[in-house]
Amino acid sequence: QVHVVESGGGLVQTGGSLRLSCAASGSFFVINHMGWYRQAPGKQRELVALIDNGGNTNYAESVKGRFTISVGSAKKMVYLQMNSLKPEDTAVYYCTADGVTTSVRNFDAWGQGTQVIVSS
């Protein structure tokens, strides 16, 4: 099995910054994508940012220019640097990873989520 665990959420004022981290562990052969989704109260879960194993990135329009996704050197970690935070960024942020296990099975792992609260 493959697991991902997030960390780094918290409370920040408008205009502040936070950095989320996510670590993948388990029996994976390759990770194809890692990324972040978020879900605000009363809203559907939405994509924030994705990165593939070639380094290609995809961002939600609402975070372009403010958030940056990156991976660690071992490519088992993914980070989300969030700058110029706004109250509408308040949500539970979920890390995700997909790829192939050492048993040659596809996996799609999700973390438990980390809360980000941006105060106005």
Side-chain angles (χ1 to χ4, degrees):
Q1 283 194 348
V2 180
H3 301 277
V4 293
V5 178
E6 310 96 337
S7 61
L11 173 64
V12 64
Q13 291 186 332
T14 297
S17 298
L18 279 176
R19 188 188 194 214
L20 305 183
S21 301
C22 173
S25 63
S27 305
F28 57 85
F29 174 66
V30 65
I31 296 177
N32 292 325
H33 304 88
M34 294 190 81
W36 296 91
Y37 285 72
R38 68 186 180 187
Q39 187 166 18
K43 295 188 176 181
Q44 289 189 329
R45 191 173 296 188
E46 63 175 0
L47 169 70
V48 177
L50 279 177
I51 187 167
D52 67 19
N53 58 13
N56 301 300
T57 58
N58 184 27
Y59 292 94
E61 286 294 326
S62 60
V63 307
K64 282 183 180 178
R66 300 188 297 122
F67 291 10
T68 303
I69 189 170
S70 61
V71 294
S73 57
K75 299 190 177 181
K76 297 180 181 180
M77 297 286 298
V78 65
Y79 307 97
L80 186 68
Q81 178 65 44
M82 304 185 294
N83 299 327
S84 303
L85 282 160
K86 305 175 181 180
E88 50 264 44
D89 295 317
T90 294
V92 177
Y93 284 70
Y94 297 91
C95 176
T96 181
D98 67 78
V100 181
T101 68
T102 52
S103 303
V104 199
R105 293 187 175 185
N106 294 329
F107 72 86
D108 184 9
W110 288 80
Q112 299 274 6
T114 186
Q115 178 75 57
V116 172
I117 299 173
V118 184
S119 63
S120 58

